[in-house]
Structure formats: structure tokens, C-alpha cells
Amino acid sequence: REIFELDAAGETPPLTTDLAALEEAVRAEVPADSYNYVAGGAGTGSTVRANRSAFERWRIVPRVLRNADRRDLRATVLGMEMPAPVLLAPVGVQSILHPDAELASARAAAELGLPLVLSSSSSRSIEEVAAANGDAPRWMQLYWSGDREICASILDRGKRAGFSTLVVTVDTWIRGWRPHEMDRRYSPSRQGVDMAIPFSDPVFRSRLARPPEEDPTAAIQEWQRMPTGASKSWEQFAFLRDHWSGPIVVKGILHPDDARRAVGCGADGIVVSNHGGRQVDGAVAALDMLPEVVDAVGAEVDVLFDSGIRTGADVIKALALGAKAVLVGRPCAYGLAHAGEAGVRHVLRSLLADLDITLGLCGYRSPAELGRAALR
Ligand code: FNR
């Protein structure tokens, strides 16, 4: 509403509401390495493009004169009421993008009451982010290390710091083939960034020959190597159940059989995701697998979605195909890079306003009314 009030007063909003323009602004403002870190995908970028073209193929069929003048965006996800079915996706090492890093994202999320999913490669510690997030709902993502004691330590800290829900990312046990990062010799340590979550962890520190302050490159390499050494399988999921009392959501599922397996192992939710196209070049668009996964496990657990959400219409499409909520990655990262906390807040408010208006124009009063009949 405020965005339109500004327009009515003849002023333009202080930040663009055009996401493509925002991305271009960020590209011009930040070092190429930082822009590539956010924008890039695996290999030729075909999965990044596929994610977007899947959204283009689905079209909404608006309905009219259905008393949709008052909307309510609230949604219940994993038994938790949220002001809108939108979460901030885990995005690592945000100090590459802005000095306030994850603290800015945590404050913006808290203002809007949308859950932040904190990356386990965060550049600010679990406790610092929790303090910035205050009383707001927060979830924590885990790159599942092969070192059980490190996992247990991080999970314990997360619980103490008030993170309610664990998101276990299962599609990134090694990094994808990312030429744009390798050829530019991108590495977090070259950027002089911190990875506070592992670096501040006493168990992780005990595994290093030299402390991260003295040799950050070796510390980052060790952190990135750890998931590889795990050779994990679904059987080991019990470890997470034993060390986390709240809900567990498995992120990075595309095949319905994997979704069934996750639920069979005790997962409380699924995120259908291809990691924003950053892992497998040539992977199927995440949106194209959403209906199958919802058909497989949607009656038992909440299915969430990410990879390609850019507009209110995109949120509507994912919800109509059965997602209970969506996670937003790159748009928030661009907002952060451009204007810190205000930038993240602006991107999210724009997305919610767009969702609200478009939902109404399509004849729906709440996300819960959406179903596959809304689309062609
Ligand atoms: C990510 N993503 C990610 N996922 C995760 O589980 N842990 C992480 O640390 C990160 N880090 C990360 C950094 C950057 C720069 C990006 C762009 C993405 C993936 C993220 O959570 C999400 O799956 C995708 O970003 C969703 O796709 P869109 O919204 O970016 O298209």
C-alpha cells in the first residue's frame, strides 16, 4: 500500500520495484566476483534458465467479480502461522554483498515477520543473527557435515538461539561445476570474508591445524570439504532426528521417490528445489517436479518450493501447484547488495504487494483458495 501512496503523491519509490533493474544496478555497483557469486548457476546456466521458462509456461486464468477486494495473505506452514507464504532462502556468506550481511537480512525479515532461513555458511554467527532477528520466527539451514560432533554442536547452538526449524540441504554435498566462479578464481577467502558459523564453533576450530584468523583459506576449504567426506545416506537421517527436537525440512528434492524416502525417514517438510540452478547443469526445472512431489507426499507433509521465484505471479503459480510456501533467494541478495536492510525489506515488500494485488486480480482472497484449476 505504501508503495502506491508514494506514487499517488507524485514521488517515485526510493528503490526500483523492477527486479531486473535492481539486478542491473547491483551488477554495476558491486565487484564482478560478488555479482557472479549471486547470479551464477552451474555449467552453461541451462538450469537457471529452465527454472524461469517453467514459470513462463504456466499461465494464470484470472477469475472476476468474486469479492476479492479484501485479501489475507496469512498461511500456516508446519503448524506455524506466517504473515505470508514467503521465507528468505538460505544464502551463504552475505558479507560478500554488504557489510551488514546476515544481520541486515535478519532485521528485514523480522520487520515483516517472514522467517529467515539462516545458511550454515553464514558470515555472522548464529547468536549474532538471532539477536538481530529478535522475537521473529527463524529457521536454520544445515550443510550436513560428515563430522557428527560439529553437526551436533551447530544444532545445539541453533536450538539455544531460538531457531525453530531445521532445513537440511541435501543437493550440495559437493559444489556444482561452476565455471563462472572457477575461472574468476572466486573463493570466499580471497574476498576476505568470514564464515562465522563454522569459524566460531569450538568443535570445528579443534579440527583445524591453525585457527581461521591465521589461515582462513584452509578453514574454508576444510568446511567445504566436510560434507563430501560424509558419504551419507537416508539411514543416517536418524542422527539429525536425534539431535533436533523441532521440525526438520529436507531441501533440494526433485524426485517424488526421494520425497517419499525423506518422509519415511521422519522429515516434516520438503523443499522442492534445484538450488536455484547452481548445482546440476541440465537439471529439470524445480517447478516442473513440484506437482509430482506434492502428489507423492503432500497429504502427509508440507511441501515448500524455491528456484526461480521473482514475482507475485510466480508465488501464485507455485502455491497453485501445491506448495505451502516459497523461499526467495537471489532477489533478496540483490536487495541486500544494493541497500542493505532497506534493500531486503524493499524487495520483500514489493513481492508481497505484487502477490496481494495479483491474487486479488485473479479473484482469490487467500493463498489457501489456490489450486491447480487456477492455472493452464
Ligand atoms: C544459495 N543457496 C543456498 N542454499 C543453501 O541451502 N545454503 C546456502 O548456503 C546457500 N547459499 C546460496 C548462496 C547464493 C548466492 C545463492 C543465490 C543461493 C540456494 C538458495 O537457498 C535457494 O535454493 C535458491 O537461491 C533459490 O533460487 P532463486 O530464488 O535464487 O532463484
Side-chain angles (χ1 to χ4, degrees):
R1 205 176 293 124
E2 280 168 44
I3 290 169
F4 281 95
E5 280 164 13
L6 277 173
D7 280 345
E11 297 169 34
T12 46
L15 298 169
T16 175
T17 53
D18 175 347
L19 214 58
L22 178 66
E23 180 176 345
E24 281 314 306
V26 170
R27 191 206 278 264
E29 284 160 6
V30 303
D33 285 356
S34 306
Y35 171 76
N36 286 337
Y37 167 59
V38 177
T44 62
S46 87
T47 305
V48 176
R49 291 191 296 277
N51 283 339
R52 287 303 305 152
S53 54
F55 277 100
E56 290 295 325
R57 281 196 307 277
W58 285 105
R59 314 303 303 180
I60 305 167
V61 187
R63 305 293 306 277
V64 296
L65 301 185
R66 300 212 318 176
N67 288 327
D69 50 337
R70 281 177 176 273
R71 275 92 53 198
D72 182 350
L73 294 185
R74 274 176 301 178
T76 303
V77 181
L78 295 167
M80 288 167 255
E81 190 173 285
M82 299 174 19
V86 175
L87 300 94
L88 288 80
V91 167
V93 279
Q94 295 186 5
S95 60
I96 292 176
L97 306 174
H98 192 277
D100 295 342
E102 287 81 2
L103 304 185
S105 299
R107 289 188 194 112
E111 265 181 80
L112 295 168
L114 303 177
L116 168 89
V117 186
L118 179 65
S119 162
S120 61
S121 294
S122 165
S123 40
R124 297 288 177 269
S125 74
I126 290 173
E127 295 77 15
E128 287 172 296
V129 173
N133 196 231
D135 297 333
R138 49 182 169 267
W139 298 12
M140 185 170 91
Q141 178 260 328
L142 180 73
Y143 280 135
W144 189 357
S145 165
D147 188 320
R148 290 185 158 209
E149 283 178 43
I150 291 178
C151 278
S153 173
I154 290 175
L155 296 179
D156 184 54
R157 285 170 62 194
K159 262 181 290 178
R160 287 172 199 268
F163 289 80
S164 66
T165 303
L166 178 65
V167 176
V168 186
T169 302
V170 292
D171 59 8
T172 310
W173 52 278
I174 48 175
R175 278 172 90 76
W177 179 255
R178 301 181 189 173
H180 62 278
E181 288 184 6
M182 293 182 292
D183 290 357
R184 301 194 64 90
R185 299 218 160 61
Y186 162 80
S187 98
S189 59
R190 278 173 59 93
Q191 309 258 338
V193 303
D194 197 3
M195 277 199 198
I197 288 188
F199 287 8
S200 67
D201 193 81
V203 184
F204 177 72
R205 294 177 74 91
S206 75
R207 301 291 190 266
L208 301 172
R210 289 164 62 203
E213 296 75 30
E214 286 175 27
D215 192 351
T217 306
I220 287 172
Q221 280 169 352
E222 179 66 10
W223 177 242
Q224 291 186 338
R225 199 182 55 77
M226 278 180 165
T228 320
S231 64
K232 283 176 288 289
S233 63
W234 286 112
E235 282 73 43
Q236 292 163 33
F237 197 82
F239 168 83
L240 297 176
R241 267 277 62 120
D242 290 346
H243 286 81
W244 188 263
S245 46
I248 302 181
V249 176
V250 179
K251 173 174 179 283
I253 296 281
L254 293 168
H255 198 291
D257 287 349
D258 287 341
R260 286 189 192 95
R261 195 72 204 271
V263 172
C265 290
D268 302 288
I270 300 288
V271 185
V272 173
S273 165
N274 59 23
H275 213 97
R278 298 164 78 80
Q279 284 297 91
V280 177
D281 195 24
V284 65
L287 192 71
D288 286 338
M289 297 311 292
L290 178 59
E292 280 181 57
V293 172
V294 169
D295 288 345
V297 300
E300 293 158 79
V301 301
D302 283 354
V303 176
L304 287 70
F305 173 87
D306 79 29
S307 297
I309 295 282
R310 298 292 177 271
T311 69
D314 295 341
V315 180
I316 289 172
K317 290 173 188 178
L319 298 178
L321 292 175
K324 285 283 187 292
V326 301
L327 285 68
V328 183
R330 290 184 185 84
C332 294
Y334 292 133
L336 175 69
H338 186 60
E341 178 187 344
V344 181
R345 187 175 61 229
H346 174 77
V347 164
L348 288 168
R349 285 181 63 225
S350 300
L351 181 67
L352 296 186
D354 177 5
L355 170 61
D356 179 48
I357 289 167
T358 308
L359 193 71
L361 283 174
C362 293
Y364 300 97
R365 280 165 298 193
S366 92
E369 291 180 357
L370 289 165
R372 289 186 196 172
L375 305 184
R376 287 295 184 276

